Amino acid sequence: MKVLVLGAGNVGKAAAWDLRDEFDVYVGDLSEDRLRAVSEFATPVKVDASSFGDLVEVMRGFELVIDALPGRFGYSAIKAAIKAGTDMVDVSYMRENPLELREEAENALVTVIFDAGFAPGLSHILMGRIWQELDELDEGYIYVGGLPKEPKPPLYYRITWSPKDLIEEYTRPARVIRNGEVGAIDPLSEIRKVEIENLTFEAFPSDGLRSLLESVRAKKLEEWTLRWPGHLEKMRVLKELGFFKPEHLDKTLEVITPLMTYDSPDFSIMLVRGRGSLNGQAVEIEYLLYDEERDGFTSMARLTGFTAAIIARLVAEQNCIYGVIPPEILGMRIDTFERIMGELEERGIKPRREESAPSGNS
C-alpha cells in the first residue's frame, strides 16, 4: 500500500520511519532539507500544502495519507482527502471542527481519524477507555506536557513542534465542562501548580478536549497542559501586551523561538484521570505515561508520530468505519484499544493503569 505522510518535520519523520517496513512510504513537504532527511527510508515528494488543488491531485495517487502539517492546513487537508477519495489520519491540531465533514466523508466512502497523535490523540483514547469502563463518569482530567529535561532561562521551554501551534495553545479559548455545561475560558487566566511523580509543574487549561466535549458526558471535564515553573507568566505578559496578535506574531516568533531552541533531551508526561461510579461504588481510574527522547526521535515526535502510525495501520486494515472519527472511539472499543496499547508497548511506551477509591484531588 502506498502511504503519503504530509509534513517532514519531527512528527512526520517519526510516522514515516515507523511505517517504512510495511508500506511504500512517501513524505511530502516544501523544504528540500527536510525531504533529504527522510530520503533514507521514504520517497520524498515536493508538496505545496497551501494549494488545495495540488493536495487533491497528490492524494489521488495514494490509498492513505497521514497529515502531520501545522494546524492551519488541517481542515483543508481533510477536505482534500475526501475529494480525492483517500483515507486520512490527522495530527494537525486544527482550529476548525472536523466533525462538520462527517457526512461528506461517509458519502465519499472515506475514513478520517483526526487528532490521532499524543494530545489530542492518545489522551482521548485513554479517556475513552475510562468512560467505557465506568458506569458513570463524574469528573475527568487530562494533564499533559512535553518538556526539556534541562530547561534554560528565560522561557524554560524547548520547541519540538510548530512554533505557531505552540502560541495557539495560549491564545485559543480553552473549552471545558464545568457543572455539566460546556464553557470557554482564557487559557492563561488560570495557572495552577501540579505535582506528578515528584515533579512540580505549572499548568494552564488548554483547548485539547475537542471531540470529547460531544462524545463523553461528565459534570466536569478539563485538560491542563504542563510547563516548567517560570514559563507561563512570561507568556501571559507577552499575550497581554499584544505580541501574540496575528499582525505581530511573526516578529514575536523571530525573537522568542531562538530562546526556545537549544540542545536538551525532552520528555513527555501525561496523567489521564476519571472519577465516577462502577457497580454502585465510587471509583477513580487513571493512566500515567512517562516517555523520554531516544533513538534519534524526540519524545513528542515518538508519541505523536508512532501513535499516528499505529492508527494508520488500523485504517489500512479497514478496522474503522467510513466517516470522520474522533480518537476516543478507538479507546471505547476494546479491540482497537488493546491493539494500540500493545503496539505502543513494543515501542517502549506503556501507560500505567491504577484503580482506587477517589482521592479528592483534581
Side-chain angles (χ1 to χ4, degrees):
M1 175 182 284
K2 289 179 67 177
V3 176
L4 172 65
V5 178
L6 284 174
N10 290 338
V11 171
K13 184 178 179 181
W17 184 87
D18 194 79
L19 295 170
R20 71 197 186 284
D21 293 333
E22 301 164 63
F23 299 90
D24 189 6
V25 181
Y26 292 68
V27 177
D29 202 295
L30 264 183
S31 168
E32 293 184 2
D33 289 341
R34 287 184 173 183
L35 290 176
R36 275 194 293 270
V38 302
S39 60
E40 291 185 6
F41 52 84
T43 302
V45 181
K46 201 157 188 179
V47 176
D48 183 1
S50 65
S51 171
F52 182 79
D54 286 353
L55 276 182
V56 174
E57 190 63 30
V58 169
M59 288 183 187
R60 282 183 173 144
F62 296 89
E63 297 162 89
L64 177 64
V65 174
I66 295 178
D67 175 19
L69 296 167
R72 63 185 182 278
F73 297 116
Y75 194 75
S76 63
I78 291 180
K79 288 181 70 70
I82 293 171
K83 187 170 183 179
T86 304
D87 294 334
M88 173 175 276
V89 173
D90 167 82
V91 297
S92 68
Y93 189 62
M94 69 196 73
R95 177 181 288 269
E96 301 88 348
N97 182 4
L99 289 172
E100 296 172 355
L101 302 173
R102 179 183 290 159
E103 186 174 346
E104 288 183 44
E106 290 174 353
N107 292 338
L109 304 182
V110 165
T111 298
V112 175
I113 300 183
F114 64 96
D115 287 350
F118 175 41
L122 186 55
S123 55
H124 286 54
I125 291 168
L126 296 174
M127 186 60 76
R129 178 87 312 247
I130 291 173
W131 157 260
Q132 189 67 32
E133 290 183 23
L134 294 173
D135 293 333
E136 185 174 356
L137 177 66
D138 293 325
E139 299 180 2
Y141 302 92
I142 298 168
Y143 297 96
V144 60
L147 298 163
K149 293 189 72 175
E150 301 166 2
K152 294 184 179 181
L155 297 179
Y156 306 99
Y157 187 75
R158 176 191 168 206
I159 291 180
T160 57
W161 55 312
S162 166
K164 287 191 175 180
D165 286 352
L166 169 68
I167 302 305
E168 181 89 355
E169 286 196 321
Y170 304 134
T171 59
R172 184 189 301 184
R175 290 166 294 173
V176 298
I177 297 177
R178 293 178 176 177
N179 298 317
E181 301 291 334
V182 177
I185 57 179
D186 179 342
L188 294 180
S189 64
E190 299 182 17
I191 298 175
R192 65 167 59 165
K193 184 173 78 171
V194 175
E195 294 187 5
I196 302 174
E197 293 291 280
N198 297 318
L199 296 172
T200 300
F201 305 101
E202 290 178 340
F204 68 101
S206 45
D207 192 43
L209 295 180
R210 299 162 67 78
S211 55
L212 285 171
L213 297 167
E214 300 180 33
S215 59
V216 169
R217 293 186 299 276
K219 297 175 183 176
K220 192 172 186 178
L221 194 63
E222 301 176 350
E223 181 194 78
W224 291 76
T225 293
L226 306 172
R227 295 286 184 261
W228 287 121
H231 175 80
L232 291 177
E233 187 57 42
K234 294 181 176 69
M235 293 296 104
R236 180 156 59 185
V237 170
L238 288 173
K239 181 180 177 181
E240 290 175 350
L241 292 176
F243 285 93
F244 293 162
K245 289 183 178 179
E247 62 268 29
H248 303 312
L249 184 55
D250 286 341
K251 286 293 185 182
T252 300
L253 289 175
E254 285 182 17
V255 175
I256 68 172
T257 298
L259 300 175
M260 297 185 287
T261 305
Y262 51 85
D263 290 333
S264 170
D266 78 319
F267 73 97
S268 301
I269 189 166
M270 180 164 65
L271 176 66
V272 181
R273 175 183 290 148
R275 295 181 182 138
S277 59
L278 179 63
N279 299 323
Q281 301 293 319
V283 173
E284 178 176 287
I285 299 174
E286 68 177 34
Y287 287 90
L288 176 64
L289 172 63
Y290 179 89
D291 183 73
E292 295 186 354
E293 182 173 327
R294 69 181 77 171
D295 302 326
F297 294 106
T298 67
S299 175
M300 185 61 67
R302 281 168 43 80
L303 289 166
T304 306
F306 292 174
T307 300
I310 293 167
I311 292 173
R313 289 180 176 87
L314 294 175
V315 175
E317 296 166 9
Q318 299 183 332
N319 280 316
C320 303
I321 61 173
Y322 297 128
V324 178
I325 303 168
E328 57 267 24
I329 300 301
L330 303 177
M332 294 176 186
R333 283 176 48 183
I334 188 62
D335 60 335
T336 50
F337 176 78
E338 290 182 345
R339 168 75 178 276
I340 293 167
M341 292 301 108
E343 292 209 21
L344 285 173
E345 186 172 356
E346 290 175 4
R347 292 152 180 80
I349 301 166
K350 186 177 181 180
R352 186 182 78 209
R353 182 187 184 279
E354 293 187 359
E355 180 176 329
S356 62
S359 63
N361 297 320
S362 61

